[in-house]
Amino acid sequence: MATQKAGSRGGKKSKVVKKKKPPKQPIELATTDWVGNTVVLYEESWLHIQTEHGITDLSGVQNAIHSPMRVRECTVNYCSTAYAHETVIPSSKEHLRVIVHYPENENVIAGKSIGSVKTAYPVDYTSPSRVGAVIYEDANSTLPPPDKSK
Amino acid sequence: MKVQYDKSADVLYVTLRKQDPKQCRFVENENGDVLKIDRLTGHVVGVTIIAFLLRINRGLEVNIPEIRAIPFAEFAKNITGHNTSH
């Protein structure tokens, strides 16, 4: 006659499955943006930005976020709130565009949100921007005037 | 074709053809996705799709451009900077 062990069903031991917390993503860069929001760049994202978009100057990315020459409000990308921070790339005909996503719209203006970098890439001065309208221009910006396309 | 997903940013990197990013220019399409274009040939060699899962979950379209052949005149213009068509 077959016997069943206590605490088991069908001869198999029951296991208590603990729900694992998602692992914390290593952060490559943490800085503040032009209005004081915290912005993080995850290590994984930085690796992709370097290999796929050829941006290797981390201080340039930080500079674009912290002291942008121009900021555009992204009206595409389907993010609730996203901004494109722009600055010059020294000795280049291109400038750097860093896309930062913020989860909460209200706190962004107050500088109390925490955003994350989606991606960053070089853009040509001459190519029209399809990201969105300019909402901030630094008084000392050396970027060429923004196009009127959007 | 190589596809890499950046889960910390919800960004999909699609490489259609391997090319040094320094030899490429980057332009946005109407969806705000970033096209990586070979400066010499004008071919789209990669695309960066932003908010990928978010768009999939909302049932929105995600377009990956095809590699296209470009006319010789356009190819020559890319190299020389001059329009050769008359």
Side-chain angles (χ1 to χ4, degrees):
Chain A
M1 188 177 161
T3 55
Q4 193 172 329
K5 290 178 184 176
S8 65
R9 185 185 292 175
K12 288 182 179 177
K13 287 183 180 177
S14 60
K15 289 180 181 177
V16 178
V17 180
K18 289 183 179 176
K19 195 176 180 182
K20 285 183 180 176
K21 287 182 180 177
K24 286 185 178 177
Q25 297 284 334
I27 291 172
E28 183 71 31
L29 169 72
T31 186
T32 51
D33 69 7
W34 54 298
V35 289
N37 297 296
T38 300
V39 176
V40 295
L41 167 62
Y42 292 105
E43 194 179 282
E44 183 185 7
S45 305
W46 177 234
L47 286 173
H48 286 294
I49 290 166
Q50 287 178 95
T51 54
E52 299 300 323
H53 294 167
I55 302 292
T56 54
D57 180 17
L58 187 62
S59 62
V61 174
Q62 182 175 17
N63 190 40
I65 297 166
H66 185 71
S67 310
M69 290 188 172
R70 181 177 296 152
V71 178
R72 294 174 186 270
E73 186 171 20
C74 296
T75 50
V76 288
N77 298 334
Y78 313 102
C79 298
S80 54
T81 309
Y83 295 96
H85 298 69
E86 297 176 21
T87 193
V88 293
I89 300 176
S91 63
S92 170
K93 288 182 178 177
E94 295 172 316
H95 59 279
L96 175 64
R97 185 168 289 163
V98 182
I99 307 293
V100 180
H101 173 238
Y102 302 87
E104 296 165 43
N105 193 16
E106 291 175 10
N107 290 336
V108 174
I109 304 303
K112 293 177 181 174
S113 186
I114 298 175
S116 61
V117 174
K118 288 276 177 189
T119 192
Y121 47 93
V123 283
D124 198 281
Y125 288 142
T126 55
S127 70
S129 169
R130 288 174 167 170
V131 169
V134 175
I135 59 162
Y136 168 79
E137 185 88 27
D138 187 80
N140 299 317
S141 172
T142 54
L143 291 173
D147 57 86
K148 305 289 182 186
S149 59
K150 209 167 187 181
Chain B
M1 187 170 84
K2 186 174 77 174
V3 178
Q4 293 175 296
Y5 179 61
D6 176 0
K7 62 180 178 298
S8 57
D10 188 20
V11 173
L12 191 76
Y13 290 88
V14 180
T15 303
L16 301 166
R17 188 183 296 172
K18 195 175 179 183
Q19 178 59 287
D20 181 356
K22 299 290 180 196
Q23 304 301 322
C24 298
R25 62 189 177 93
F26 296 85
V27 296
E28 295 126 0
N29 66 10
E30 63 278 4
N31 291 326
D33 296 325
V34 184
L35 305 179
K36 186 177 177 181
I37 298 172
D38 188 316
R39 287 183 192 276
L40 199 62
T41 65
H43 288 154
V44 176
V45 294
V47 59
T48 301
I49 299 170
I50 298 169
F52 175 69
L53 265 189
L54 185 78
R55 287 155 69 176
I56 294 292
N57 291 336
R58 289 182 183 178
L60 298 166
E61 265 189 23
V62 175
N63 295 317
I64 297 172
E66 293 175 8
I67 297 174
R68 64 181 180 92
I70 61 169
F72 176 76
E74 194 180 333
F75 176 73
K77 189 182 173 187
N78 283 330
I79 297 173
T80 62
H82 299 294
N83 196 348
T84 56
S85 59
H86 297 287

